[in-house]
Amino acid sequence: MSRLDPHSYWDAGQPRTRRLRLSLSVDFSERRLSGSVVLELAAPASGPFDLDTKGLAILSVRGADGRDIPHALADEEPILGRRLRLDLPSGTREVAIEYRTSPDAVALQWLAPEQTEGKRHPFLFSQCQAIHARTVAPLQDSPRVRVTYAAEITVPEPLAAVMSAGPAGVRPGPVAGTRTFLFEMPQPIPPYLLALAVGDIGSRDLSPRSRVHSEPATLERAAWEFAGIEEMIVKAEGLFGPYEWDRYDMIVLPPSFPYGGMENPRMTFLTPTLLAGDRSLVDVVAHELAHSWTGNLVTNASIDHFWLNEGSTVYAERRIHEALHGEEAAVLGWAIGQKALDEEMERFGAGSPLTRLRTDLAGIDPDDAFSSIPYEKGSRLLALLERTAGRERFDRFLRDYIAAFRFTSITSEEWLAFLQERLPGVAERAQVRDWLYEPGLPANAPVFRSRALEDLTSLAESWTRGERPTPPQIATWKPSEMLVFLKGLPRELPPADCAALDQLLGLMGRGNHEILVEWLVIAAGSDYEPAFGKVREVLTRVGRMKYLRPLYAALGRHPRTRALARDIVAAASPGYHALSRRVVESVMSKYAD
Ligand code: BES
Ligand code: ZN
């Protein structure tokens, strides 16, 4: 037995899946996908073949000749789910599994019409990273097992389906009132990039290779917000090499989507909280786009190397930002990231093994280990290497790295070996081993400075001494500058200060959710009653975990806001994604009483 991925039953000594053929029907009333998946093997095989499943009902397993293949579902493991072991007769090239998903599948959120913008039709979206693809289909759910796929998805009219794949047509469904959407994904992907959304979905072209999808009522705003996508793709190609996925499309999901964005290839999934109305949050799109190179082309071999995906992508995102808006603007991004990093170091404790880049998460749920550490510590390591090698050499290294490992999944050790080969001496000078294997942030972490950053930081620090930014000063601020200012303020202010701050910056009505939530975190932590209504509104409407965690944590400070939080959560939690609900429960379990 050779299990290389602690979060999968996949056995490297067994046959490998090369391609999936999904045929599924979407049942909103039962909240299930049902149908079949065919797993095509890389080579004819025989003997044991282990798949990951979680919550799946397995109805039949057959070979290409239609004959039953002996199989057994092992007992449920809390994180991994149930191993499905098939016993393949010799010469097996493919297996067809009939199955259906559970209404509790973590990867699937089923929304009632009230939870959508249009209020008339239900909506479904998936979120498979890191290990939830196994709740959607039986498969080898490890990023090392890359697959191409074809899919036929049957949905009730007038709904439409999109996937992380190229569209391949629509035809009438098997029963009246349904349609079947066809997809073809020719590029091999890790299973966590399998993605599906179903709803009242329209689309708008943004460039010859890019289109945005959303509910009809959101389309106009979405198309405006992301109009700059082609420019971003062009900049990214200049930095990292050709875009290898043909098209770059996006979908703006309903607000319960638990992340800011998810890099599903050919169809990035996005939270509607990015629609600030001023294009100020498109960095999240730059991030998901950058995953097209770092993450989707070169993929972490398991969640223990997650920093390779996210650290590299944050670095790439900030390089795109710099190319578009200049160095000063990029420095603000690094500064905002530093705050997140400091907070996470404090949450885990700088000695915690979860603050290593290369982790050992066997026995730990990846969702519980999720944090900004791989993002911000990881991106800082790359920035340090850039400074050590010089930008030109490092840029060449990055492009060579992507070209060398494209369409493969690698470990931190493989990354390090390549670094040592291509940039001799740099890893040693930067003490890369400490970065990878030791907890905390190494002392040689790069520092990012700019005049604007220093001014904003000192202005925020002088708040408690009664100094205030002036209206003309504020009028020149970009949203990221206002955010840096807010992040520099104390987490608790007297009510009069809260009122003054809101008045000065017009915070309560902000469409930029980074600013709005930063303000509400201060207001909630300050027991500032005039903000309670807005706090409730945001926590009820939005399921993005990045906002739920700090807001509920801030509400934990005072008895009155703790009561408010309990009240809000009782009303809001049925609308939360299962992952969001878990985060909220964990934050509230730390409340004083
Ligand atoms: N791939 C992640 C989201 C993710 C990570 C989902 C781990 C499940 C498990 C995505 O690219 C991401 O990092 N999103 C961030 C964007 C931000 C860093 C710009 C988010 O959702 O906030
Ligand atoms: Zn990411």
Side-chain angles (χ1 to χ4, degrees):
M1 190 189 80
S2 127
R3 280 190 37 203
L4 296 182
D5 181 340
H7 291 93
S8 171
Y9 290 112
W10 166 60
D11 186 326
Q14 296 180 0
R16 235 176 220 264
T17 314
R18 186 185 59 189
R19 178 174 169 79
L20 305 174
R21 300 199 311 267
L22 287 156
S23 174
L24 294 169
S25 147
V26 179
D27 184 339
F28 278 96
S29 59
E30 293 258 323
R31 300 196 157 187
R32 287 182 200 279
L33 305 178
S34 62
S36 64
V37 60
V38 175
L39 290 83
E40 298 179 13
L41 305 182
S46 66
F49 181 47
D50 293 342
L51 302 177
D52 295 293
T53 79
K54 203 170 188 185
L56 301 180
I58 303 298
L59 308 176
S60 73
V61 183
R62 294 203 173 88
D65 56 5
R67 283 218 291 238
D68 281 336
I69 289 179
H71 60 276
L73 267 178
D75 290 342
E76 173 93 18
E77 294 247 5
I79 298 165
L80 297 186
R82 299 177 74 176
R83 185 192 72 195
L84 174 63
R85 172 163 288 179
L86 316 188
D87 185 13
L88 307 179
S90 77
T92 302
R93 286 169 181 277
E94 61 178 53
V95 295
I97 304 176
E98 269 188 295
Y99 71 98
R100 60 170 179 261
T101 62
S102 153
D104 306 317
V106 175
L108 302 174
Q109 191 179 16
W110 301 85
L111 301 179
E114 309 83 78
Q115 290 173 277
T116 67
E117 187 83 24
K119 316 278 180 221
R120 288 187 45 221
H121 300 286
F123 202 101
L124 164 69
F125 65 79
S126 69
Q127 168 54 50
C128 287
Q129 200 182 10
I131 57 166
H132 303 307
R134 66 196 63 180
T135 70
V136 175
L139 38 72
Q140 295 174 303
D141 194 8
S142 171
R144 291 194 198 235
V145 187
R146 299 180 90 92
V147 291
T148 63
Y149 75 86
E152 308 180 352
I153 308 291
T154 298
V155 305
E157 277 178 321
L159 305 189
V162 299
M163 291 192 85
S164 53
V170 191
R171 58 175 193 230
V175 293
T178 66
R179 285 192 296 172
T180 301
F181 288 77
L182 311 180
F183 300 92
E184 175 60 45
M185 184 56 178
Q187 292 100 347
I189 56 162
Y192 73 79
L193 292 178
L194 199 64
L196 168 70
V198 178
D200 183 11
I201 298 169
S203 72
R204 200 54 83 74
D205 280 332
L206 302 176
S207 88
R209 57 173 158 175
S210 188
R211 182 177 298 150
V212 66
H213 303 252
S214 73
E215 286 189 67
T218 313
L219 255 187
E220 189 97 20
R221 288 165 65 216
W224 186 87
E225 204 82 30
F226 305 131
I229 187 63
E230 183 60 31
E231 213 185 329
M232 256 185 203
I233 303 175
V234 170
K235 287 283 187 234
E237 287 190 298
L239 285 164
F240 315 121
Y243 181 74
E244 302 242 28
W245 306 87
D246 306 332
R247 296 191 54 88
Y248 183 79
D249 293 335
M250 300 169 265
I251 180 168
V252 178
L253 296 166
S256 67
F257 184 58
Y259 291 96
M262 176 65 211
E263 67 271 26
N264 298 131
R266 289 167 173 255
M267 187 61 70
T268 282
F269 282 23
L270 297 169
T271 168
T273 61
L274 301 186
L275 304 177
D278 59 4
R279 299 181 180 157
S280 56
L281 297 177
V282 295
D283 278 358
V284 175
V285 175
H287 178 97
E288 306 315 333
L289 169 66
H291 271 306
S292 308
W293 291 266
T294 48
N296 297 2
L297 267 189
V298 186
T299 306
N300 53 209
S302 78
I303 203 67
D304 284 329
H305 310 280
F306 183 58
W307 82 272
L308 277 179
N309 274 21
E310 297 301 342
S312 311
T313 301
V314 169
Y315 175 81
E317 162 205 337
R318 293 192 182 138
R319 289 295 304 274
I320 295 172
H321 192 78
E322 188 191 308
L324 287 170
H325 306 291
E327 205 184 319
E328 285 261 311
V331 167
L332 292 178
W334 285 103
I336 292 166
Q338 185 70 48
K339 269 273 172 207
L341 182 56
D342 296 345
E343 280 164 19
E344 296 285 55
M345 285 290 176
E346 201 180 303
R347 176 158 76 94
F348 290 125
S352 160
L354 291 178
T355 66
R356 294 179 185 144
L357 284 180
R358 181 357 178 151
T359 53
D360 181 9
L361 297 180
I364 299 176
D365 187 329
D367 291 322
D368 293 340
F370 181 84
S371 83
S372 297
I373 308 273
Y375 290 77
E376 294 298 340
K377 183 177 172 183
S379 58
R380 275 163 180 72
L381 169 55
L382 296 200
L384 172 65
L385 295 176
E386 181 205 310
R387 289 182 185 187
T388 310
R391 176 166 277 194
E392 212 175 302
R393 287 179 70 212
F394 187 68
D395 282 1
R396 200 170 327 118
F397 164 79
L398 259 189
R399 278 195 296 271
D400 290 349
Y401 162 72
I402 290 161
F405 293 107
R406 59 195 274 282
F407 295 114
T408 69
S409 304
I410 67 168
T411 62
S412 308
E413 290 67 34
E414 290 169 276
W415 171 85
L416 179 56
F418 190 76
L419 175 69
Q420 286 168 325
E421 180 198 312
R422 294 304 171 98
L423 292 175
V426 167
E428 290 66 31
R429 264 187 285 152
Q431 294 166 287
V432 169
R433 283 184 181 279
D434 290 350
W435 279 80
L436 292 180
Y437 302 115
E438 299 297 328
L441 186 67
N444 64 349
V447 177
F448 298 87
R449 283 210 187 85
S450 79
R451 186 59 201 277
L453 177 60
E454 272 151 39
D455 290 351
L456 289 163
T457 317
S458 66
L459 199 55
E461 278 164 8
S462 63
W463 177 277
T464 38
R465 297 195 301 275
E467 276 174 50
R468 301 286 179 263
T470 64
Q473 218 169 0
I474 293 164
T476 70
W477 284 354
K478 295 190 195 69
S480 54
E481 294 177 299
M482 185 174 293
L483 187 59
V484 167
F485 173 74
L486 287 174
K487 283 187 184 286
L489 294 177
R491 301 294 85 187
E492 187 164 358
L493 293 172
D497 280 25
C498 285
L501 187 64
D502 179 26
Q503 226 252 319
L504 203 55
L505 302 180
L507 292 169
M508 217 72 97
R510 289 276 152 183
N512 178 316
H513 276 66
E514 294 291 320
I515 292 178
L516 179 64
V517 170
E518 194 64 30
W519 150 243
L520 293 177
V521 164
I522 296 173
S526 307
D527 195 24
Y528 180 62
E529 197 174 357
F532 288 4
K534 193 71 189 174
V535 169
R536 180 190 295 271
E537 189 274 318
V538 170
L539 287 176
T540 308
R541 173 172 48 87
V542 178
R544 186 175 175 188
M545 295 186 285
K546 183 185 182 190
Y547 298 151
L548 299 184
R549 184 188 288 283
L551 265 175
Y552 277 107
L555 289 171
R557 269 181 123 104
H558 298 278
R560 187 164 67 150
T561 51
R562 285 202 286 277
L564 176 67
R566 294 197 176 101
D567 193 46
I568 295 172
V569 92
S573 128
Y576 286 158
H577 192 283
L579 295 173
S580 309
R581 213 174 296 134
R582 273 258 301 279
V583 162
V584 172
E585 274 164 20
S586 129
V587 171
M588 293 185 64
S589 70
K590 299 189 185 87
Y591 278 15
D593 50 77

PDB file of all heavy atoms in Angstrom, residues 263 287-288 291 310 313 375, ligand 2:
ATOM      1  N   GLU A 263     -10.711  29.539  -7.777  1.00  0.00           N
ATOM      2  CA  GLU A 263     -10.068  29.539  -9.092  1.00  0.00           C
ATOM      3  C   GLU A 263     -10.495  28.389  -9.999  1.00  0.00           C
ATOM      4  O   GLU A 263      -9.661  27.829 -10.709  1.00  0.00           O
ATOM      5  CB  GLU A 263      -8.554  29.513  -8.881  1.00  0.00           C
ATOM      6  CG  GLU A 263      -7.977  28.219  -8.246  1.00  0.00           C
ATOM      7  CD  GLU A 263      -7.922  28.213  -6.730  1.00  0.00           C
ATOM      8  OE1 GLU A 263      -8.726  28.934  -6.105  1.00  0.00           O
ATOM      9  OE2 GLU A 263      -7.095  27.475  -6.165  1.00  0.00           O
ATOM     10  N   HIS A 287      -6.136  37.608  -8.220  1.00  0.00           N
ATOM     11  CA  HIS A 287      -5.684  36.431  -7.480  1.00  0.00           C
ATOM     12  C   HIS A 287      -6.180  35.138  -8.138  1.00  0.00           C
ATOM     13  O   HIS A 287      -5.390  34.234  -8.426  1.00  0.00           O
ATOM     14  CB  HIS A 287      -6.173  36.535  -6.022  1.00  0.00           C
ATOM     15  CG  HIS A 287      -5.826  35.362  -5.169  1.00  0.00           C
ATOM     16  ND1 HIS A 287      -4.717  35.356  -4.343  1.00  0.00           N
ATOM     17  CD2 HIS A 287      -6.415  34.159  -5.011  1.00  0.00           C
ATOM     18  CE1 HIS A 287      -4.654  34.185  -3.724  1.00  0.00           C
ATOM     19  NE2 HIS A 287      -5.678  33.448  -4.106  1.00  0.00           N
ATOM     20  N   GLU A 288      -7.471  35.075  -8.395  1.00  0.00           N
ATOM     21  CA  GLU A 288      -8.018  33.835  -8.989  1.00  0.00           C
ATOM     22  C   GLU A 288      -7.461  33.621 -10.394  1.00  0.00           C
ATOM     23  O   GLU A 288      -7.165  32.492 -10.784  1.00  0.00           O
ATOM     24  CB  GLU A 288      -9.547  33.868  -9.007  1.00  0.00           C
ATOM     25  CG  GLU A 288     -10.221  34.141  -7.650  1.00  0.00           C
ATOM     26  CD  GLU A 288      -9.652  33.357  -6.476  1.00  0.00           C
ATOM     27  OE1 GLU A 288      -9.107  32.247  -6.699  1.00  0.00           O
ATOM     28  OE2 GLU A 288      -9.731  33.838  -5.331  1.00  0.00           O
ATOM     29  N   HIS A 291      -4.042  32.109 -10.245  1.00  0.00           N
ATOM     30  CA  HIS A 291      -4.061  30.660  -9.996  1.00  0.00           C
ATOM     31  C   HIS A 291      -4.020  29.866 -11.300  1.00  0.00           C
ATOM     32  O   HIS A 291      -3.684  28.680 -11.285  1.00  0.00           O
ATOM     33  CB  HIS A 291      -5.321  30.271  -9.228  1.00  0.00           C
ATOM     34  CG  HIS A 291      -5.201  30.318  -7.729  1.00  0.00           C
ATOM     35  ND1 HIS A 291      -4.212  29.650  -7.040  1.00  0.00           N
ATOM     36  CD2 HIS A 291      -5.964  30.936  -6.791  1.00  0.00           C
ATOM     37  CE1 HIS A 291      -4.382  29.857  -5.726  1.00  0.00           C
ATOM     38  NE2 HIS A 291      -5.422  30.640  -5.544  1.00  0.00           N
ATOM     39  N   GLU A 310      -1.139  28.946  -2.695  1.00  0.00           N
ATOM     40  CA  GLU A 310      -1.646  30.255  -2.267  1.00  0.00           C
ATOM     41  C   GLU A 310      -0.554  31.301  -2.087  1.00  0.00           C
ATOM     42  O   GLU A 310      -0.746  32.465  -2.440  1.00  0.00           O
ATOM     43  CB  GLU A 310      -2.483  30.102  -0.990  1.00  0.00           C
ATOM     44  CG  GLU A 310      -3.736  29.244  -1.176  1.00  0.00           C
ATOM     45  CD  GLU A 310      -4.701  29.778  -2.241  1.00  0.00           C
ATOM     46  OE1 GLU A 310      -4.608  30.968  -2.611  1.00  0.00           O
ATOM     47  OE2 GLU A 310      -5.543  28.974  -2.703  1.00  0.00           O
ATOM     48  N   THR A 313       0.438  32.445  -5.401  1.00  0.00           N
ATOM     49  CA  THR A 313      -0.625  33.205  -6.058  1.00  0.00           C
ATOM     50  C   THR A 313      -0.765  34.607  -5.471  1.00  0.00           C
ATOM     51  O   THR A 313      -1.024  35.563  -6.200  1.00  0.00           O
ATOM     52  CB  THR A 313      -1.949  32.422  -6.009  1.00  0.00           C
ATOM     53  OG1 THR A 313      -1.740  31.177  -6.667  1.00  0.00           O
ATOM     54  CG2 THR A 313      -3.069  33.181  -6.679  1.00  0.00           C
ATOM     55  N   TYR A 375      -0.784  31.939   2.723  1.00  0.00           N
ATOM     56  CA  TYR A 375      -0.916  33.068   1.791  1.00  0.00           C
ATOM     57  C   TYR A 375       0.178  34.109   2.030  1.00  0.00           C
ATOM     58  O   TYR A 375       0.927  34.474   1.127  1.00  0.00           O
ATOM     59  CB  TYR A 375      -2.269  33.766   1.964  1.00  0.00           C
ATOM     60  CG  TYR A 375      -3.473  32.981   1.505  1.00  0.00           C
ATOM     61  CD1 TYR A 375      -3.986  31.942   2.284  1.00  0.00           C
ATOM     62  CD2 TYR A 375      -4.114  33.280   0.320  1.00  0.00           C
ATOM     63  CE1 TYR A 375      -5.106  31.231   1.877  1.00  0.00           C
ATOM     64  CE2 TYR A 375      -5.241  32.576  -0.098  1.00  0.00           C
ATOM     65  CZ  TYR A 375      -5.723  31.556   0.689  1.00  0.00           C
ATOM     66  OH  TYR A 375      -6.831  30.857   0.273  1.00  0.00           O
TER      67      TYR A 375
HETATM   68 ZN    ZN B   2      -6.054  31.495  -3.758  1.00  0.00          ZN
END
